[in-house]
């Protein structure tokens, strides 16, 4: 009888978990037709996943040479690039390419200066209005948290970057200046295909195919979205293993304390 | 009092005795958490009191440290949270503990409530205990709602807009109340400021009500899986070491599961959209509350028809708040004298149906009402499931519970806890021993 109640309780918990998972899952295509992204084998997947630093550095190059003309990265500072293996000289070289407004100086005047490693990535546009007027009315989103802030995460960004089709299929009415991409909600995206074969030239000899650049860029953007990931998982293993041992010990204590009462 | 001071003192330590005879904190702890006679037959569902206490303390501690780094201003809130995640030492840990802590707090409180419903823990003489408990739930919901607004993401902003707008359904004064809640004519900086202030205040109110909840518990004594009162010392065990040991084990197991989510899937329960900064000009495709509000959200949206002079919006609001207020009345809606569902063969089934109904409502709450539940079944929309789920919820509490009390034929209750635990073998040495030591 006791075992049966235990089993029932167990079943209740399992069914509860299942229903919750379904309830929390992506509401299927409720906001218009789109294709679900295919899962990819990212190095950062799973419980032991790590950042692929050389891919992230190539992704930084793709961001700087292609994406950064429209998309900001306003949560990331140049100094953070140390975490992906850049030297302070390399970081200074990158930040020096950008100008930031500073001041007021002792005369009360605002002035521009070269960006320093302590500055955040300089945004391509002064403000949202400026961004929209240069982009056919659309606002290019900031990319700092892009893999965290979209359903499908890294897989989705990769699918979007590699999923552009030259022409919309028959029967799809395209808006003015819009581009067809089956992975985007509504399948019409204001951003035109950003990456083409050899859009960048990798210094490490990697061939710059569209899928390679997209792969590197998503690795980079996943790092900008959760730079703490490796530290988090590393600490997580220690904490969870400690808690498992503690739980086992406390169970033994409980058995010992109760041994006279059963 | 002073006559038996010496033999009552909890330790032989002079300083402890000195303090205790002036402020009896030590003898209070000894009485309420040392000797407190707890029924000997608690199962593991009784762990959740300790687990909830832990979660509340964890939330208060992580919250205080987060508030030292957080900026409650619409222009800076989102970025200050990201700064916590990136630049504050272990800030990511604090924030993920706090965000996932809310989720695990609610999982624990829902288990605790359903435990009470199954074993009839709300019945005479524990009505006030239950009412304090429901009050804690209401305060937790208000706290969680306002806390979710603070990161100032898209769901923060639009969730706040939708929920505060509910008050506009109140006839005549509705719109004025909403303006008053907002501190303006839209969810704006004054709204964020007051939500931050209240989100800081309410946990301490919860702590106060928890104290009342525990005091009320220690006056009536704990219920137990059999739902019968302990007849004497042979039916109880001192809280320490028996239940301190059992609670410690249960709590450690709980924290292990919690930690697994914090470190390996910290955004599992979150909504990706909330990592986009709030934009009052861009409505998200779908506005969904946090998972723990989904059943109420489903009830709110299930009233999509006018009832006499009550329009659908007001009806939904009444139903949603009613579904919680109903819980206050459960001790009087349930007319059965038998507490535990173990001896209520009919109620037992309806308990599990109610649990499934709440899960169904949660499932419905996460989907747009006009969506198809299954792709191939044309006639079944989420709103239909919402209607059924909502109707059943109110049917359970308003009709079934009072009815079962009179028509259900309950099973015979065991004469004592000890008899039931030891299968009637009252001459066992264990009883004599524990009985003698008390």
């Amino acid at each position: 009888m006791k075992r049966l109640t235990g089993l029932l309780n167990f079943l209740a918990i399992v069914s509860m978990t299942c229903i919750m998972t379904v309830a929390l899952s992506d509401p299927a295509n409720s906001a218009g037709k789109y294709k679900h992204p295919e899962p990819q084998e990212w190095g950062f997947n799973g419980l032991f996943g790590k950042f692929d630093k050389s891919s992230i550095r190539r992704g930084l190059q793709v961001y700087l040479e292609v994406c950064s003309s429209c998309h900001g990265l306003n949560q990331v500072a140049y100094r953070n690039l140390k975490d992906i293996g850049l030297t302070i000289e390399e970081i200074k070289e990158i930040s020096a390419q950008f100008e930031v407004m500073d001041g007021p100086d002792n005369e009360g005047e605002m002035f521009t200066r070269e960006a320093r490693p302590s500055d955040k990535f300089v945004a391509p546009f002064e403000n949202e209005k400026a961004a929209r007027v240069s982009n056919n009315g659309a606002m290019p989103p900031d990319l700092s948290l892009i893999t965290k802030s979209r359903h499908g995460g890294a897989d989705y960004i990769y699918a979007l970057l590699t999923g552009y089709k030259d022409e919309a299929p028959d029967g799809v009415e395209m808006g003015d200046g819009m581009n067809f991409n089956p992975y985007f909600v509504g399948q019409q995206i204001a951003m035109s295909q950003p990456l083409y074969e050899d859009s960048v030239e990798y210094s490490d000899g990697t061939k710059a195919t569209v899928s390679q650049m997209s792969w590197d860029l998503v690795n980079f953007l996943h790092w900008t979205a959760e730079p703490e990931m490796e530290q988090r998982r590393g600490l997580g293993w220690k904490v969870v293993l400690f808690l498992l041992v503690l739980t086992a010990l406390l169970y033994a204590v409980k058995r010992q304390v109760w041994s006279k009462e059963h | 009092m002073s006559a038996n001071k010496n033999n009552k003192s909890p330790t032989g330590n002079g300083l402890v005795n000195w303090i205790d005879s002036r402020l009896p904190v030590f003898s209070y702890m000894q009485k309420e958490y040392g000797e407190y006679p707890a029924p000997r037959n608690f199962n593991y569902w009784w762990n959740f009191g300790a687990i909830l206490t832990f979660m509340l303390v964890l939330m208060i501690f992580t919250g205080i440290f987060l508030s030292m780094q957080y900026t409650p201003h619409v222009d800076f809130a989102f970025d200050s949270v990201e700064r916590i995640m990136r630049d504050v030492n272990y800030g990511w840990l604090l924030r993920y503990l706090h965000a996932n802590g809310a989720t695990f707090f609610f999982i624990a409180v829902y288990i605790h409530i359903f435990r009470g419903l199954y074993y009839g823990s709300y019945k005479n003489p524990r009505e006030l205990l239950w009412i304090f408990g429901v009050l804690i739930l209401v305060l937790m919901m208000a706290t969680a709602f306002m806390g979710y607004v603070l990161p100032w993401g898209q769901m923060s902003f639009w969730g706040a807009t939708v929920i505060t707008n509910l008050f506009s359904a109140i006839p005549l004064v509705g719109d004025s109340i909403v303006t008053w809640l907002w501190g303006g004519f839209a969810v704006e900086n004054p709204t964020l400021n007051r939500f931050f202030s209240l989100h800081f205040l309410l946990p301490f109110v919860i702590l106060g009500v928890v104290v009342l909840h525990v005091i009320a518990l220690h006056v009536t004594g704990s219920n137990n899986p059999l739902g019968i009162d302990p007849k004497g010392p042979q039916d109880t065990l001192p809280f320490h070491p028996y239940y301190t040991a059992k609670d410690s084990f249960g709590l450690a197991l709980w924290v292990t599961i919690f930690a697994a989510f914090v470190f390996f899937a910290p955004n599992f329960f979150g909504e990706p959209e909330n990592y986009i900064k709030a934009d009052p000009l861009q409505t998200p495709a779908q506005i969904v509350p946090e998972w723990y509000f989904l059943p109420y959200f489903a009830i709110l949206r299930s009233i999509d028809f006018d009832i006499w002079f009550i329009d659908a919006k007001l009806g939904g609001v009444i139903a949603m708040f009613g579904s919680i207020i109903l819980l206050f009345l459960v001790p009087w809606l349930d007319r059965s004298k038998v507490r535990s569902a173990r001896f209520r063969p009919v109620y037992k089934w309806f308990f599990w149906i109610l649990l499934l109904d709440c899960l169904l409502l949660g499932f419905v709450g996460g989907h747009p009402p006009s969506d198809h539940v299954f792709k191939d079944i044309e006639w079944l929309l989420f709103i239909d499931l919402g209607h059924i789920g909502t109707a059943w919820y109110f049917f359970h509490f308003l009709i079934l519970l009072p009815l079962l009390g009179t028509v259900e034929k309950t099973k015979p209750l065991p004469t004592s806890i000890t008899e039931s635990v030891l299968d009637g073998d009252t001459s066992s040495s264990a009883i004599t021993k524990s009985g003698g030591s008390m």
Side-chain angles (χ1 to χ4, degrees):
Chain A
M1 186 60 209
K2 205 165 181 189
R3 193 154 291 172
L4 190 71
T5 354
L7 188 72
L8 274 177
N9 291 340
F10 177 70
L11 284 177
I13 293 169
V14 169
S15 61
M16 201 159 125
T17 322
C18 293
I19 295 180
M20 257 170 53
T21 320
V22 177
L24 291 166
S25 66
D26 185 21
N29 293 7
S30 58
K33 277 171 87 77
Y34 62 91
K35 204 169 151 192
H36 280 281
E38 296 79 17
Q40 307 291 332
E41 304 269 317
W42 301 106
F44 50 76
N45 278 355
L47 300 179
F48 297 97
K50 288 248 185 291
F51 286 131
D52 177 349
K53 298 257 166 85
S54 48
S55 175
I56 291 176
R57 284 194 295 269
R58 288 194 298 271
L60 168 68
Q61 187 185 345
V62 177
Y63 168 77
L64 288 172
E65 292 180 19
V66 184
C67 320
S68 67
S69 56
C70 297
H71 294 277
L73 205 58
N74 64 21
Q75 305 293 346
V76 187
Y78 295 108
R79 64 179 161 82
N80 296 134
L81 297 174
K82 220 175 104 212
D83 298 348
I84 57 171
L86 269 66
T87 62
I88 189 69
E89 285 72 31
E90 288 170 317
I91 293 171
K92 279 180 177 159
E93 208 174 295
I94 292 172
S95 64
Q97 299 165 18
F98 299 90
E99 287 204 323
V100 290
M101 177 76 83
D102 205 343
D105 60 15
N106 290 341
E107 271 73 55
E109 302 294 329
M110 300 302 281
F111 60 93
T112 56
R113 58 161 173 81
E114 274 181 6
R116 300 182 191 121
S118 59
D119 285 313
K120 293 279 169 70
F121 271 64
V122 176
F125 299 105
E126 286 279 303
N127 51 53
E128 187 183 331
K129 291 251 165 65
R132 283 190 190 275
V133 81
S134 314
N135 287 283
N136 197 18
M139 170 72 194
D142 187 88
L143 296 183
S144 317
L145 287 158
I146 200 79
T147 66
K148 250 177 161 180
S149 62
R150 296 293 184 278
H151 285 280
D155 295 334
Y156 166 73
I157 304 299
Y158 181 78
L160 193 77
L161 288 168
T162 54
Y164 278 90
K165 298 279 183 319
D166 289 338
E167 271 176 46
D170 292 338
V172 178
E173 191 80 26
M174 298 300 292
D176 195 25
M178 299 298 271
N179 306 276
F180 181 77
N181 194 315
Y183 297 98
F184 196 70
V185 177
Q187 304 192 326
Q188 302 197 29
I189 181 166
M191 175 171 74
S192 58
Q193 181 172 343
L195 297 171
Y196 290 94
E197 186 99 7
D198 293 322
S199 285
V200 302
E201 195 183 322
Y202 285 136
S203 57
D204 64 0
T206 308
K207 186 145 177 37
T209 61
V210 171
S211 56
Q212 180 66 44
M213 286 182 292
S214 305
W215 180 265
D216 294 338
L217 181 63
V218 172
N219 269 305
F220 172 67
L221 292 177
H222 198 66
W223 169 74
T224 65
E226 30 193 77
E228 88 296 343
M229 186 200 76
E230 285 188 355
Q231 192 200 2
R232 170 159 55 77
R233 286 185 186 154
L235 181 60
W237 280 112
K238 290 177 202 155
V239 170
V240 168
L241 287 176
F242 168 82
L243 283 169
L244 281 174
V245 173
L246 179 70
T247 306
L249 286 174
L250 286 171
Y251 182 64
V253 169
K254 188 256 162 193
R255 287 281 300 247
Q256 177 66 27
V257 166
W258 281 78
S259 60
K260 295 188 209 81
E261 292 299 332
H262 273 310
Chain B
M1 184 73 191
S2 58
N4 50 19
K5 185 176 73 188
N6 288 332
N7 50 25
K8 275 272 184 180
S9 87
T11 69
N13 184 312
L15 178 64
V16 169
N17 289 347
W18 186 88
I19 295 172
D20 203 61
S21 55
R22 286 156 182 81
L23 184 72
V25 280
F26 295 101
S27 44
Y28 172 82
M29 285 304 287
Q30 176 67 11
K31 183 165 166 283
E32 300 301 339
Y33 290 97
E35 294 154 9
Y36 174 67
R40 57 189 304 140
N41 59 332
F42 283 172
N43 54 32
Y44 279 104
W45 298 114
W46 260 261
N47 276 145
F48 285 88
I51 288 171
L52 285 161
T53 312
F54 173 82
M55 293 312 295
L56 177 60
V57 172
L58 178 84
M59 293 304 277
I60 288 178
F61 269 90
T62 52
I64 285 173
F65 285 105
L66 285 170
S67 76
M68 293 178 187
Q69 305 285 351
Y70 170 78
T71 311
H73 187 285
V74 289
D75 291 339
F76 307 110
F78 186 86
D79 290 343
S80 76
V81 170
E82 275 308 311
R83 199 186 141 269
I84 291 171
M85 293 297 288
R86 289 155 195 270
D87 290 340
V88 174
N89 290 332
Y90 292 100
W92 56 268
L93 180 57
L94 282 174
R95 171 154 183 265
Y96 279 154
L97 281 172
H98 199 73
N100 287 280
T103 276
F104 276 75
F105 204 172
F106 270 96
I107 296 176
V109 89
Y110 285 146
I111 293 175
H112 194 63
I113 290 169
F114 275 101
R115 196 285 319 272
L117 285 172
Y118 187 84
Y119 294 110
S121 302
Y122 46 81
K123 288 183 195 180
N124 181 3
R126 298 187 181 84
E127 300 94 331
L128 260 186
L129 173 62
W130 172 264
I131 285 173
F132 283 132
V134 180
L135 192 59
I136 293 169
L137 172 69
V138 173
L139 288 167
M140 274 177 68
M141 290 170 69
T143 311
F145 163 67
M146 288 189 274
Y148 193 61
V149 177
L150 302 186
W152 207 244
Q154 274 287 68
M155 281 301 161
S156 301
F157 176 84
W158 290 98
T161 303
V162 169
I163 300 302
T164 47
N165 251 318
L166 292 180
F167 292 92
S168 71
I170 302 169
L172 302 173
V173 291
D175 287 328
S176 315
I177 288 178
V178 174
T179 309
W180 176 71
L181 287 174
W182 284 341
F185 299 101
V187 173
E188 244 289 342
N189 201 44
T191 327
L192 179 61
N193 270 221
R194 62 190 56 191
F195 278 17
F196 176 59
S197 174
L198 292 172
H199 183 72
F200 205 114
L201 166 72
L202 285 183
F204 297 96
V205 179
I206 293 177
L207 191 64
V209 184
V210 166
V211 169
L212 295 178
H213 189 66
V214 172
I215 291 174
L217 171 73
H218 284 219
V219 170
T220 61
S222 305
N223 188 29
N224 64 79
L226 293 172
I228 56 174
D229 294 324
K231 297 265 170 1
Q234 73 280 6
D235 286 343
T236 63
L237 292 168
F239 192 81
H240 181 73
Y242 291 97
Y243 288 113
T244 42
K246 197 169 182 172
D247 280 350
S248 301
F249 162 60
L251 178 61
L253 186 63
W254 176 265
V255 174
T256 309
I257 300 167
F258 173 53
F261 275 95
V262 167
F263 288 103
F264 296 105
N267 294 303
F268 179 81
F269 293 99
E271 176 60 39
E273 204 103 15
N274 221 31
Y275 280 110
I276 303 172
K277 192 178 172 178
D279 182 354
L281 298 177
Q282 190 150 26
T283 321
Q286 203 202 341
I287 301 169
V288 277
E290 289 274 83
W291 71 266
Y292 38 80
F293 291 139
L294 290 176
Y296 314 103
F297 196 53
I299 292 176
L300 170 76
R301 295 198 295 190
S302 290
I303 311 296
D304 56 348
F305 44 84
D306 299 343
I307 310 163
W308 200 22
F309 61 91
I310 300 170
D311 65 4
K313 187 177 176 187
L314 180 59
V317 173
I318 292 173
M320 185 181 73
F321 286 110
S323 70
I324 301 159
I325 290 166
L326 214 49
L327 293 177
F328 284 107
L329 307 175
V330 165
W332 294 276
L333 289 169
D334 187 348
R335 312 290 302 166
S336 176
K337 291 271 179 283
V338 176
R339 293 194 189 110
S340 174
R342 281 193 191 170
F343 307 105
R344 301 187 60 188
V346 187
Y347 173 75
K348 191 182 208 164
W349 279 103
F350 286 117
F351 168 85
W352 290 109
I353 294 173
L354 177 72
L355 178 62
L356 286 175
D357 186 51
C358 291
L359 294 173
L360 173 80
L361 283 170
F363 177 56
V364 171
H367 293 84
S370 55
D371 269 19
H372 294 284
V373 181
F374 304 102
K375 255 193 209 126
D376 311 322
I377 302 177
E378 198 54 38
W379 49 268
L380 189 64
L381 304 177
F382 276 102
I383 186 71
D384 302 320
L385 285 186
H387 286 152
I388 297 167
T390 304
W392 184 268
Y393 185 92
F394 286 97
F395 173 75
H396 176 96
F397 285 108
L398 289 175
I399 298 177
L400 256 177
L401 271 190
L403 201 63
L404 281 184
T406 50
V407 300
E408 184 181 32
K409 196 167 155 22
T410 54
K411 290 186 197 165
L413 295 174
T415 48
S416 83
I417 291 172
T418 318
E419 179 208 305
S420 174
V421 170
L422 301 167
D423 287 325
D425 183 10
T426 40
S427 63
S428 132
S429 61
I431 315 290
T432 341
K433 227 164 138 192
S434 81
S437 71
M438 293 297 282

